[in-house]
């Protein structure tokens, strides 16, 4: 597999993950009636009206009502952000587990490929399975792959952290 193909998987995976988070934020912070922007506009509109007649109790109640709406919008925003943070943490933990499992699978396949190659066999099916695992891994993290002379591969994260070295793995 080429590094270019593996690198092309990274943005696809990243964009797929972030799209749902952006849509949730857009719902809360967008331009609709229940958005924070609408609550801010309503609050400042009420303040503008009461500034022309500060003794008018009806206008003052409108300011209080608009302030209450703004507070509720801010609380909804905080709740949505907290929910996204919790979701991102869970998703991150699941991704790390998946990366570790794929790294272990690649290391095991490296071992089997090296054993088969040293016995004189052509381990095409094993190589295909390993390449598939590397493709799946490259959708989760930016990786660099180097093929060894015995047919095994080393997989490093783009940051330089070795993830798979022959039949050995590092865990995240």
């Amino acid at each position: 597999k080429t590094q270019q193909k593996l690198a092309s998987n990274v943005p696809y995976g990243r964009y797929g993950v972030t799209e749902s988070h952006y849509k949730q934020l857009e719902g809360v912070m967008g331009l609709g009636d229940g958005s924070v922007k609408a609550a801010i506009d309503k609050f400042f509109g009420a303040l503008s009206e009461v500034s022309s007649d500060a003794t008018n109790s009806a206008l003052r109640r409108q300011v209080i009502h608009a302030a209450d709406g703004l507070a509720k919008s801010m609380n909804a925003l905080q709740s949505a952000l907290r929910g996204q943070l919790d979701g991102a943490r869970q998703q991150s933990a699941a991704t790390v587990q998946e990366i570790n499992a794929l790294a272990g699978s690649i290391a095991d396949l490296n071992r089997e490929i090296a054993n088969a190659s040293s016995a004189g066999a052509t381990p095409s099916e094993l190589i295909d399975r390993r390449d598939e695992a590397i493709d799946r891994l490259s959708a989760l993290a930016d990786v660099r792959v180097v093929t060894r002379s015995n047919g095994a591969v080393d997989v490093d994260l783009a940051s330089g952290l070795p993830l798979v070295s022959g039949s050995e793995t590092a865990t995240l």
Side-chain angles (χ1 to χ4, degrees):
K1 303 290 176 185
T2 66
Q3 292 298 333
Q4 186 177 13
K5 179 181 182 281
L6 296 175
S8 70
N9 282 343
V10 174
Y12 175 74
R14 184 179 306 132
Y15 296 141
V17 168
T18 57
E19 179 184 14
S20 67
H21 295 292
Y22 288 140
K23 284 187 179 198
Q24 288 174 1
L25 279 178
E26 186 178 6
V28 177
M29 297 184 75
L31 301 175
D33 290 337
S35 70
V36 172
K37 181 195 179 307
I40 290 171
D41 288 347
K42 186 174 181 181
F43 176 69
F44 281 108
L47 281 178
S48 177
E49 286 183 36
V50 81
S51 70
S52 64
D53 186 6
T55 60
N56 187 328
S57 62
L59 292 177
R60 290 192 311 220
R61 279 193 299 273
Q62 283 182 348
V63 170
I64 292 170
H65 180 70
D68 183 57
L70 178 57
K72 287 178 181 174
S73 291
M74 291 296 196
N75 287 335
L77 174 61
Q78 188 249 3
S79 178
L81 290 173
R82 179 167 282 133
Q84 282 197 325
L85 178 61
D86 291 343
R89 285 180 178 154
Q90 290 171 355
Q91 190 171 19
S92 177
T95 300
V96 166
Q97 287 179 341
E98 189 174 355
I99 288 170
N100 288 337
L102 287 167
S105 176
I106 292 166
D108 291 343
L109 288 165
N110 271 343
R111 186 179 304 109
E112 292 178 39
I113 289 167
N115 289 342
S117 293
S118 67
T122 306
S124 300
E125 182 182 329
L126 295 172
I127 292 171
D128 288 345
R129 286 178 35 208
R130 184 190 61 202
D131 288 348
E132 181 182 325
I134 292 170
D135 282 345
R136 290 183 16 223
L137 178 63
S138 72
L140 300 172
D142 192 4
V143 295
R144 305 292 181 258
V145 179
V146 176
T147 304
R148 292 181 171 192
S149 60
N150 66 354
V153 296
D154 292 340
V155 181
D156 298 339
L157 295 175
S159 64
L161 178 71
L163 193 58
V164 177
S165 181
S167 61
E168 301 295 320
T169 61
T171 57
L172 299 179

